[in-house]
Amino acid sequence: MTIKWDDRFLQLAEHIAAWSKDPSSKVGCVIADDKNEIVSVGFNGFPRGIQDDSRLQTRETKYPLIIHAEANALISARRDVSGCTAYVTHFPCIQCAVKLIQSGIVRVVTYYNHEFNERWKTDIEQTRKIFNEAKVVYQEKRRNDYS
């Protein structure tokens, strides 16, 4: 993948993240293959048939119901994602990381977000460790890395 494609897919992931109804965190994910073809997309939100209502306002209520963007993209994929890259607007949590690894994702590209990374520091450190162990390449891009 070239930086041009990384940029395009991260921008698309940001666009898709805006579809989330979560008032505090909007996350998007694009899964693309080695031919730069989109395999699947996902954003964080409640499962189909569950109303986007006041439960989104309370973390204790919404967290058990929210499907993360990466999981939604994996569930929505209509083909094998082995060898693909996941472009995610936020660094994956440990639970999404294990799903990405198990699904055969070989690369994860995300934007670096200092505030988010500090808030979820312990989880992100665990994710980095298992990505390294599973030989999943991950890249954190700063928004100004692109021309």
Side-chain angles (χ1 to χ4, degrees):
M1 296 278 172
T2 64
I3 289 176
K4 175 178 75 172
W5 283 104
D6 287 351
D7 187 27
R8 289 175 179 169
F9 289 133
L10 281 172
Q11 287 176 6
L12 181 57
E14 280 191 302
H15 177 75
I16 291 164
W19 300 346
S20 172
K21 301 282 193 322
D22 189 327
S24 62
S25 295
K26 296 183 182 301
V27 182
C29 177
V30 174
I31 297 174
D33 66 16
D34 60 353
K35 295 178 183 123
N36 297 321
E37 294 178 357
I38 296 169
V39 174
S40 187
V41 300
F43 59 91
N44 62 313
F46 287 164
R48 289 184 186 111
I50 306 299
Q51 294 299 310
D52 294 322
D53 57 20
S54 63
R55 292 174 285 190
L56 282 167
Q57 307 304 319
T58 309
R59 289 179 186 224
E60 295 77 27
T61 307
K62 77 176 176 180
Y63 279 169
L65 296 174
I66 291 278
I67 299 176
H68 289 192
E70 302 93 325
N72 256 333
L74 291 169
I75 291 166
S76 297
R78 298 295 180 235
R79 63 168 256 214
D80 184 12
V81 298
S82 295
C84 290
T85 298
Y87 296 88
V88 191
T89 58
H90 294 68
F91 203 88
C93 72
I94 192 73
Q95 287 302 311
C96 288
V98 297
K99 291 174 180 120
L100 292 168
I101 291 166
Q102 191 68 9
S103 298
I105 295 292
V106 296
R107 184 170 173 251
V108 175
V109 181
T110 185
Y111 283 128
Y112 177 79
N113 179 322
H114 179 74
E115 181 182 323
F116 180 84
N117 286 21
E118 283 301 308
R119 182 176 175 198
W120 297 103
K121 185 177 182 176
T122 303
D123 202 52
I124 289 171
E125 287 172 1
Q126 288 180 317
T127 296
R128 285 187 179 119
K129 284 180 186 176
I130 66 164
F131 277 165
N132 288 333
E133 186 175 343
K135 297 181 177 40
V136 171
V137 174
Y138 62 89
Q139 294 174 276
E140 293 177 90
K141 304 282 189 179
R142 298 198 187 269
R143 292 185 194 283
N144 60 0
D145 282 352
Y146 303 111
S147 52

